[in-house]
């Protein structure tokens, strides 16, 4: 005969969902139900991990820049504006690409908060993961980092915590000195992490004349990586029209080489000559934006040449997230 499942004792205290720790899938669930964790509270946790939100930053001001700072930019910060204003004792909240020792967030000695964007997350909703980290950072003791954790599936998202009408204005840095107000007096551990990060950072700059276009310098050639808000199919059609017409470049010795997919948006990428700096990209990028707007407005079917160009662009896409 099959063994009877052990019954939960009537007097045993039941834990609330928010208090249930994570245990092994085959272990008894800590809630006291008598079932294995994977068949009880672990089921909701697993579902939260596997459900992927394609555009986690949709609805936030500067969605394209959020994507760029998450995937493309080594060192950058942006001031965040909370709904209802800052809590008492928190003078500012700042988004950062990364923080020392890969901390998800840091509450500084003065009470200000730094929130890291490029950390690994526990669920398929990056916005919810970041909102959970931000909420805990706002309540953390000054001078302490915030650890990673599994995020509740019904927790708030960034769109619930941030003022979506406030401007989002990234500041790109040449290094990570923004980690500490006084880098000369930083601990040895933070100083070592700062040195490693600075050595690995690729020089990057944000163009001022168009939105979410980031120039970067590499040893062999430079690149422009431009996060665009348009729907992928429409953008591919427009780029194909320009490419077939010989109008997809940014000038002499430049070439549209493909694109990234990142968090539901497309990021066209151009190869640039090593001598072409960020300032040299401003006028060509503004001119391209005008050509792209016209191509996006076109509604005629693609020609055979344009379809071939579209196929080539599609084959040169790389998905980052």
């Amino acid at each position: 005969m099959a063994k009877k499942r052990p019954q939960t004792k009537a007097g045993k205290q039941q834990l609330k969902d928010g208090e249930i720790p994570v245990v092994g899938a085959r272990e008894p669930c800590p809630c006291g139900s008598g079932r294995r964790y994977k068949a009880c509270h672990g089921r909701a946790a697993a579902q939260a991990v596997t459900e992927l939100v394609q555009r986690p930053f949709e609805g936030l001001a500067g969605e394209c820049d959020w994507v760029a700072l998450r995937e493309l930019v080594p060192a950058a910060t942006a001031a965040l504006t909370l709904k209802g204003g800052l809590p008492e004792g928190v003078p500012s909240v700042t988004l950062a690409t990364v923080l020392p020792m890969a901390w998800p967030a840091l509450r500084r000695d003065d009470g200000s908060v730094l929130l890291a964007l490029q950390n690994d997350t526990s669920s398929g909703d990056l916005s919810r993961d970041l909102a959970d980290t931000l909420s805990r950072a706002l309540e953390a003791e000054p001078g302490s980092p915030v650890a990673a954790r599994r995020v509740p599936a019904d927790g708030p998202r960034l769109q619930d915590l941030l003022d979506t009408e406030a401007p989002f204005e990234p500041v790109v840095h040449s290094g990570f000195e923004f980690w500490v107000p006084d880098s000369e007096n930083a601990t040895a551990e933070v100083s070592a992490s700062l040195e490693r990060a600075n050595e690995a950072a690729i020089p990057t700059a944000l163009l001022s004349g168009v939105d979410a276009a980031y120039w970067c310098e590499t040893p062999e050639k430079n690149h422009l990586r431009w996060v665009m808000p348009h729907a992928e199919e429409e953008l591919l059609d427009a780029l194909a029209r320009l490419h077939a017409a010989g109008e997809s470049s940014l000038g002499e010795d430049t070439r549209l080489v493909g694109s990234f997919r990142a968090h539901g948006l497309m990021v066209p990428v151009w190869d640039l000559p090593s001598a072409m700096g960020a300032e040299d990209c401003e006028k060509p990028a503004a001119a391209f934006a005008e050509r792209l707007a016209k191509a996006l407005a076109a509604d005629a079917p693609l020609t055979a040449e344009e379809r071939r160009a579209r196929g080539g662009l599609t084959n040169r896409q790389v998905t980052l997230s």
Side-chain angles (χ1 to χ4, degrees):
M1 296 179 61
K3 293 182 179 179
K4 293 183 179 180
R5 177 178 293 171
Q7 300 296 313
T8 303
K9 294 182 180 179
K12 187 172 181 177
Q13 183 180 5
Q14 300 289 309
L15 295 175
K16 297 180 180 179
D17 285 355
E19 301 172 345
I20 297 169
V22 176
V23 297
R26 300 179 67 83
E27 295 181 28
C29 186
C31 75
S33 66
R35 292 180 291 173
R36 290 178 178 176
Y37 178 70
K38 69 176 183 178
C40 192
H41 284 85
R43 180 178 297 171
Q47 184 179 21
V49 170
T50 56
E51 289 182 354
L52 177 64
V53 175
Q54 297 292 337
R55 289 180 62 179
F57 307 120
E58 186 176 14
L60 294 176
E63 179 187 7
C64 294
D65 287 302
W66 278 87
V67 171
L69 266 57
R70 167 70 182 184
E71 300 294 340
L72 306 174
V73 183
T77 56
L80 298 180
T81 304
L82 304 183
K83 288 182 179 179
L86 294 167
E88 184 177 357
V90 180
S92 64
V93 177
T94 303
L95 183 74
T97 47
V98 291
L99 292 176
M101 278 74 75
W103 289 329
L106 172 66
R107 182 88 185 270
R108 282 177 163 165
D109 291 336
D110 66 354
S112 60
V113 168
L114 288 176
L115 175 67
L117 183 56
Q118 294 183 9
N119 285 50
D120 292 335
T121 56
S122 62
S123 81
D125 187 352
L126 180 56
S127 176
R128 197 180 307 281
D129 293 335
L130 289 167
D132 179 78
T133 301
L134 174 57
S135 297
R136 291 185 291 124
L138 293 171
E139 298 177 353
E141 290 295 324
S144 61
V146 176
R149 75 168 187 180
R150 178 171 287 171
V151 176
D154 58 349
R157 307 179 74 240
L158 286 174
Q159 290 82 347
D160 301 318
L161 301 183
L162 301 181
D163 182 352
T164 57
E165 300 299 322
F168 184 78
E169 300 174 343
V171 177
V172 178
H173 303 276
S174 59
F176 295 87
E177 282 73 20
F178 64 84
W179 281 352
V180 286
D182 184 4
S183 58
E184 294 183 357
N185 294 323
T187 65
E189 188 178 21
V190 170
S191 296
S193 183
L194 178 62
E195 183 177 354
R196 290 192 300 270
N198 283 341
E199 289 176 353
I202 297 174
T204 302
L206 172 61
L207 300 195
S208 60
V210 294
D211 293 333
Y214 290 80
W215 169 94
C216 68
E217 179 184 11
T218 60
E220 296 184 358
K221 62 184 69 175
N222 299 340
H223 305 279
L224 185 71
R225 301 177 292 189
W226 193 339
V227 187
M228 296 186 172
H230 317 291
E232 181 175 335
E233 297 302 314
E234 287 79 1
L235 180 54
L236 279 170
D237 283 351
L239 292 174
R241 296 180 194 276
L242 295 176
H243 201 64
E247 297 181 342
S248 63
S249 75
L250 299 176
E252 186 176 359
D253 296 328
T254 71
R255 186 167 67 98
L256 175 64
V257 293
S259 63
F260 297 129
R261 284 195 191 99
H263 304 291
L265 299 181
M266 262 186 65
V267 188
V269 179
W270 285 262
D271 278 353
L272 312 173
S274 296
M276 190 171 186
E279 293 184 358
D280 301 321
C281 294
E282 293 286 0
K283 288 184 178 180
F288 179 84
E290 294 181 1
R291 299 196 299 273
L292 180 63
K294 293 179 181 178
L296 285 165
D299 57 4
L302 296 181
T303 66
E305 187 177 0
E306 289 168 347
R307 288 197 300 271
R308 286 193 295 271
R310 192 185 195 281
L313 291 171
T314 302
N315 290 335
R316 297 195 298 274
Q317 285 186 306
V318 176
T319 301
L320 299 181
S321 61

